[in-house]
Amino acid sequence: MAASPEGVRVTKVDWQPMRNGTAHRTQEYSCHELVVRRGQLFSIRLHLTGVLDREETLTLTVQTGSQASEALHTKAVFQTADLEVGDAWTAAKEAQTGNTVTVSLASPPDAVIGRYLLSARASSRRKHSDRKLGEFVLLFNPWCPEIHRANVVRYKVHDKGKGHPSEFFSMFKKYQFSMGIKASGARASAHARPDDCFTEDDVFLASEEERQEYVLNDNGIIFRGVEKHIRAQGWNYGQFEEDILNICLSILDRSPSHQEDPATDVSCRHNPVYVSRVISAMVNSNNDRGVVQGQWQGKYGGGTSPLHWRGSVAILQKWFRGKYKPVKYGQCWVFAGVMCTVLRCLGIPTRVVSNFNSAHDTDRNLSVDKYVDSFGRTLEDLTEDSMWNFHVWNESWFTRQDLGPSYDGWQVLDATPQEESEGRFQCGPASVTAIREGDIHLAHDGPFVFSEVNADYITWLWHKDESQERVYSDTKKIGRSISTKAVGSDSRVDITNLYKYPEGSQKERQVYRKAMKKLLSVEAWGKRSRMQRASRRSLQRDNLLEPPAKPSITGKFKVLEPPVLGHDLKLALSLANLTSQALQVQVNLSGATILYTRRPVAEILHESHTVRLDPQEEKKIPITISYSQYKKDLTEDKKILLAAMCLVSKGEKLLVEKDVTLDDFIIIKVLGPATVGVAVAVEVTIINPLSERVKDCVLMVEGSGLLQGQLSIDVPTLQPQERALVQFTITPSRSGPRQLQVDLVSPHFPDIKGFLIIRVAIAK
């Protein structure tokens, strides 16, 4: 068919979603738009009103945001020509058959991410004849090496229809995976390159195994508990589920930065430092009507307990469908789980990290000061700092062009609203390397993160006359067993060595002193909204840098029987005399149910003992806390804090503490092979942990790719200590490793949580 006198017009577009989705690893996204990654070619097929002349070019326009402009790099106008993978949008005619032409496009590796509108016209036609073809989404690309501007590689693509389109993509794929993907080791440097000619997308990650884990894995494990008893909790990230990509883009558009200056905000979305910092503020609801509202008081009326969430999908969908009303409620692992979903969805490699014995240093003096009474009970009205049993944050992988290549790699991001930064509750990105080396003056929020893993823990005995006396300083207590999920398995990996040098080593103390000096400089706090100085404490604490002399006795709580929910708790306090003289010790014991932040809820133990210790003698004081003592005050965290203030006859004082987490029981089994599209039975074994009859229990089941939404199963009345089996079926919809979460929910005891990884085969 001949072209009209006005020339050939573009009528519609075929986005070729299967071809592009496979090439860009975006085929899992449950959305109607094409989703591609920046810095990588993608192909579309344009339908025309006639045959395009061989010499005729097409003019394409891509734009993102409501105020797109070429000056801000949020709009690009370009013609089909020689294809370049470089610093600008380019395109080439790949093949032409009759009235259709296949065009390959390439975005620069530092393009703004987000939703784009694509328009096209034959170059011979007037500008106002642009045909709006529809929208596509551009994401960060951890697979993308960029071609250095001085060494741009050009692809000459013939448009005579002789070459098959796949040959073009095969050539690019071969080129792409021959570049620097040779980096060995599971954690190659983000700025390591095979030779000096190449750079990458800022989020480029060399290891394919890590890309699969930190970008494409839609489930994971969050570690909770206490340092000596770490427990794994499954979490459904669900970044490919329905509406999630659209919701993640909406989070960016709802941010205060976008509301105040949308043009500038969108133009900054090429930078993972900027995007991740915005997300860290928007995942919590403080300041900005973000996604999740925090609650740490143990009261969750009008909302959902943080421990009842099993993943991010329900939270994000509730926020979006509720017209951006914050979802109640979250605590640190919920904020981290949601943030991991959002950042993985946008293409930024991200993982969840748990820090045990995590400091919250409110007055920013690199020490956690705890005030206690003569029974070792925390004085809440005096203690501003705190040490949480654990705290969960995120790490994302990208380069730090603002800091230099030494600080590339993993970056700490924390969406839990603890302290304001630049007027908003946001934290990070802070380079993990900078934290390890004590370079806390570098952006962003280095002092706060450094204190979370390095602060000294100091206990003060507060006397009735309002005098205070230092009991001990344990420099090894803060920042223990920093953990994340292993790549490709459910194992726990200890990454403490990435954050700090060995505890008590000369290097570790040198870094601490270095950080303290930088903390005293104005530069360190230029990025924080304020600097508090407690009236009774000073930053000049050189005398606290070295631990005091050891006391003449030692003490330790020992668990005599495994602590199980619904059973009595049996322990012993073991005291030992280290001297050659007899000692008399007054032991004041206290116990309380606590939240995971170690905030006491209710006292359940209060007693005193006088113990005589002969030279070198060791004695044990038995302790029993019955179920009836802790039953009504136990929180969903299932934690109890024991304390013993030991007052030695010659004036020495020793405080011994023990955090206890009560165990529970659930077993999940799949009764047969799991295959896409085929129903398979699941069997769950549960036990009533109580010595009393319970009813109104429910099994809550969830799992991306295993079932749609959540499944609720009523459990028959359970007799005291009864073991019961519950069966149900699932029909997997996606292949690969999938996580099934099963929680036993009861009004009579805290939730009992379990999960199982199910490997789903492709249907034959």
Side-chain angles (χ1 to χ4, degrees):
M1 174 178 131
S4 68
E6 297 179 359
V8 174
R9 289 182 292 110
V10 180
T11 59
K12 63 179 181 178
V13 63
D14 172 6
W15 294 104
Q16 303 192 93
M18 292 296 294
R19 175 183 178 185
N20 290 316
T22 301
H24 287 250
R25 300 163 184 83
T26 57
Q27 68 272 28
E28 295 285 343
Y29 284 95
S30 300
C31 59
H32 300 296
E33 300 161 309
L34 175 67
V35 183
V36 292
R37 301 186 188 277
R38 66 183 189 178
Q40 183 175 341
L41 307 182
F42 64 98
S43 174
I44 60 174
R45 183 176 292 121
L46 300 178
H47 294 261
L48 315 172
T49 57
V51 178
L52 194 67
D53 186 83
R54 191 165 61 108
E55 301 303 322
E56 177 88 67
T57 60
L58 294 166
T59 298
L60 299 144
T61 302
V62 293
Q63 58 190 74
T64 184
S66 60
Q67 301 176 25
S69 75
E70 292 182 83
L72 291 174
H73 304 287
T74 52
K75 178 180 180 180
V77 182
F78 50 100
Q79 295 183 341
T80 52
D82 292 353
L83 192 67
E84 299 178 357
V85 181
D87 59 358
W89 283 85
T90 56
K93 289 188 291 183
E94 185 181 325
Q96 183 170 342
T97 304
N99 292 1
T100 64
V101 59
T102 302
V103 178
S104 292
L105 294 83
S107 64
D110 61 352
V112 169
I113 61 102
R115 181 175 283 106
Y116 278 81
L117 173 65
L118 173 66
S119 303
R121 63 179 168 85
S123 299
S124 60
R125 292 180 59 81
R126 295 185 297 274
K127 289 184 179 180
H128 71 268
S129 64
D130 275 7
R131 173 77 174 187
K132 293 181 179 179
L133 298 173
E135 294 179 325
F136 67 95
V137 177
L138 188 70
L139 304 178
F140 291 102
N141 193 351
W143 286 265
C144 172
E146 173 191 348
I147 310 304
H148 194 277
R149 295 177 184 179
N151 293 275
V152 173
V153 176
R154 289 176 171 81
Y155 296 92
K156 184 67 174 179
V157 183
H158 298 284
D159 59 358
K160 298 179 181 179
K162 294 181 179 180
H164 192 276
S166 63
E167 294 176 2
F168 179 87
F169 272 81
S170 296
M171 176 173 66
F172 180 71
K173 186 175 182 182
K174 180 179 179 181
Y175 157 76
Q176 182 187 25
F177 285 93
S178 68
M179 298 174 45
I181 319 247
K182 299 176 182 176
S184 60
R187 194 166 286 108
S189 169
H191 60 274
R193 301 179 181 102
D195 70 47
D196 294 334
C197 294
F198 302 112
T199 57
E200 299 96 16
D201 185 316
D202 284 346
V203 303
F204 172 66
L205 186 57
S207 165
E208 176 62 19
E209 291 80 9
E210 290 194 340
R211 293 190 293 244
Q212 291 290 326
E213 180 69 52
Y214 300 135
V215 183
L216 299 183
N217 196 352
D218 61 0
N219 63 73
I221 293 172
I222 299 175
F223 294 100
R224 303 173 62 250
V226 295
E227 176 201 350
K228 300 294 185 183
H229 190 65
I230 297 173
R231 302 194 64 179
Q233 174 185 337
W235 192 265
N236 175 27
Y237 298 124
Q239 65 266 37
F240 305 118
E241 294 294 311
E242 181 181 1
D243 285 338
I244 296 301
L245 176 57
N246 185 44
I247 294 169
C248 294
L249 296 174
S250 297
I251 290 173
L252 292 173
D253 289 343
R254 297 293 300 178
S255 72
S257 300
H258 187 77
Q259 302 297 315
E260 293 163 7
D261 187 354
T264 301
D265 169 70
V266 173
S267 72
C268 292
R269 294 181 187 176
H270 69 285
N271 185 356
V273 174
Y274 178 84
V275 170
S276 62
R277 187 159 173 81
V278 168
I279 296 298
S280 81
M282 283 299 297
V283 166
N284 69 72
S285 66
N286 300 50
N287 308 128
D288 49 27
R289 282 178 60 84
V291 179
V292 182
Q293 180 176 325
Q295 174 60 274
W296 284 269
Q297 306 305 316
K299 299 175 182 178
Y300 309 114
T304 300
S305 162
L307 277 165
H308 288 183
W309 299 115
R310 284 163 284 278
S312 308
V313 176
I315 295 171
L316 290 166
Q317 290 177 344
K318 186 172 184 179
W319 176 76
F320 185 67
R321 295 168 184 173
K323 298 181 179 179
Y324 313 112
K325 183 179 179 180
V327 177
K328 301 176 181 179
Y329 293 103
Q331 291 174 356
C332 65
W333 67 92
V334 178
F335 292 109
V338 172
M339 188 163 181
C340 187
T341 296
V342 176
L343 294 177
R344 286 188 184 183
C345 186
L346 297 177
I348 300 176
T350 303
R351 63 189 184 183
V352 173
V353 172
S354 300
N355 176 39
F356 291 88
N357 295 352
S358 187
H360 183 173
D361 178 18
T362 57
D363 56 2
R364 301 159 186 167
N365 60 358
L366 296 191
S367 74
V368 170
D369 297 275
K370 177 178 178 177
Y371 289 78
V372 300
D373 66 9
S374 59
F375 276 76
R377 296 172 296 192
T378 303
L379 300 174
E380 292 289 307
D381 57 334
L382 294 177
T383 301
E384 298 174 358
D385 299 335
S386 60
M387 183 188 75
W388 296 9
N389 283 144
F390 66 92
H391 180 49
V392 186
W393 59 68
N394 299 97
E395 288 178 357
S396 290
W397 179 279
F398 45 80
T399 62
R400 292 301 299 267
Q401 295 188 23
D402 56 329
L403 305 181
S406 296
Y407 302 101
D408 290 351
W410 290 115
Q411 313 290 324
V412 172
L413 292 150
D414 193 346
T416 300
Q418 297 182 88
E419 298 290 328
E420 286 191 341
S421 172
E422 297 178 324
R424 293 175 185 160
F425 282 93
Q426 58 190 353
C427 184
S431 163
V432 174
T433 298
I435 299 304
R436 188 184 67 231
E437 300 302 327
D439 295 325
I440 63 173
H441 60 292
L442 300 175
H444 295 275
D445 307 311
F448 187 78
V449 177
F450 183 89
S451 71
E452 287 183 300
V453 299
N454 283 296
D456 281 340
Y457 186 76
I458 301 172
T459 302
W460 302 90
L461 175 59
W462 187 263
H463 296 286
K464 292 181 179 179
D465 62 359
E466 297 192 357
S467 64
Q468 61 193 56
E469 178 183 359
R470 183 175 169 183
V471 178
Y472 76 99
S473 176
D474 186 351
T475 61
K476 297 180 181 180
K477 199 176 188 74
I478 299 292
R480 306 296 294 271
S481 302
I482 304 175
S483 305
T484 192
K485 176 186 176 299
V487 173
S489 80
D490 300 337
S491 303
R492 182 181 71 87
V493 177
D494 191 309
I495 57 171
T496 308
N497 65 314
L498 298 183
Y499 281 83
K500 55 187 181 180
Y501 290 96
E503 292 283 6
S505 67
Q506 183 178 1
K507 182 66 175 179
E508 185 258 345
R509 289 285 92 186
Q510 287 175 351
V511 169
Y512 185 93
R513 291 187 177 91
K514 175 184 177 182
M516 180 65 81
K517 290 179 181 178
K518 289 184 180 293
L519 182 66
L520 292 170
S521 71
V522 176
E523 181 184 8
W525 292 105
K527 299 293 183 182
R528 278 275 171 188
S529 60
R530 69 189 187 282
M531 183 174 181
Q532 300 174 336
R533 293 177 184 269
S535 60
R536 61 180 174 269
R537 299 189 290 274
S538 167
L539 280 171
Q540 305 290 347
R541 304 174 68 108
D542 291 339
N543 62 311
L544 300 182
L545 291 176
E546 297 298 335
K550 292 182 179 180
S552 57
I553 64 170
T554 62
K556 184 177 182 179
F557 282 107
K558 296 182 179 180
V559 177
L560 302 181
E561 295 180 5
V564 178
L565 177 65
H567 292 240
D568 294 350
L569 185 61
K570 296 183 178 181
L571 309 95
L573 174 65
S574 178
L575 297 176
N577 183 354
L578 302 178
T579 72
S580 57
Q581 298 178 344
L583 297 173
Q584 185 160 306
V585 183
Q586 180 180 335
V587 180
N588 296 332
L589 289 168
S590 66
T593 57
I594 59 170
L595 303 172
Y596 83 97
T597 59
R598 295 188 108 211
R599 178 180 176 178
V601 174
E603 187 172 64
I604 57 174
L605 177 68
H606 183 94
E607 60 187 44
S608 294
H609 301 264
T610 299
V611 179
R612 174 184 169 84
L613 293 174
D614 290 331
Q616 309 296 324
E617 184 185 13
E618 180 178 347
K619 283 186 178 179
K620 293 180 180 179
I621 302 174
I623 302 165
T624 299
I625 302 175
S626 68
Y627 171 61
S628 61
Q629 285 177 266
Y630 70 77
K631 172 184 175 180
K632 67 182 180 65
D633 296 312
L634 188 68
T635 71
E636 292 184 329
D637 294 302
K638 293 177 279 196
K639 296 185 187 299
I640 293 172
L641 175 61
L642 297 171
M645 179 65 76
C646 304
L647 310 175
V648 186
S649 52
K650 59 182 185 179
E652 294 178 341
K653 296 171 180 65
L654 172 69
L655 177 64
V656 184
E657 292 182 311
K658 175 75 173 180
D659 293 270
V660 178
T661 302
L662 301 179
D663 281 332
D664 48 36
F665 177 90
I666 191 168
I667 295 177
I668 309 165
K669 291 182 180 179
V670 179
L671 305 179
T675 306
V676 171
V678 180
V680 63
V682 176
E683 181 182 83
V684 179
T685 304
I686 57 176
I687 291 181
N688 174 9
L690 308 184
S691 298
E692 57 192 55
R693 185 169 171 265
V694 297
K695 58 181 180 178
D696 301 324
C697 295
V698 177
L699 277 187
M700 298 299 297
V701 185
E702 181 176 324
S704 274
L706 295 174
L707 67 164
Q708 294 295 322
Q710 293 181 338
L711 181 63
S712 177
I713 304 168
D714 292 332
V715 176
T717 298
L718 297 171
Q719 299 302 318
Q721 308 288 322
E722 181 186 359
R723 179 185 295 247
L725 299 178
V726 179
Q727 285 193 9
F728 56 90
T729 61
I730 58 173
T731 304
S733 58
R734 296 180 189 165
S735 62
R738 299 289 163 190
Q739 185 183 93
L740 183 70
Q741 296 183 58
V742 182
D743 292 1
L744 177 61
V745 179
S746 169
H748 308 285
F749 50 80
D751 288 6
I752 297 175
K753 307 175 78 69
F755 70 93
L756 178 70
I757 301 298
I758 301 174
R759 304 200 175 272
V760 181
I762 300 173
K764 295 181 180 178

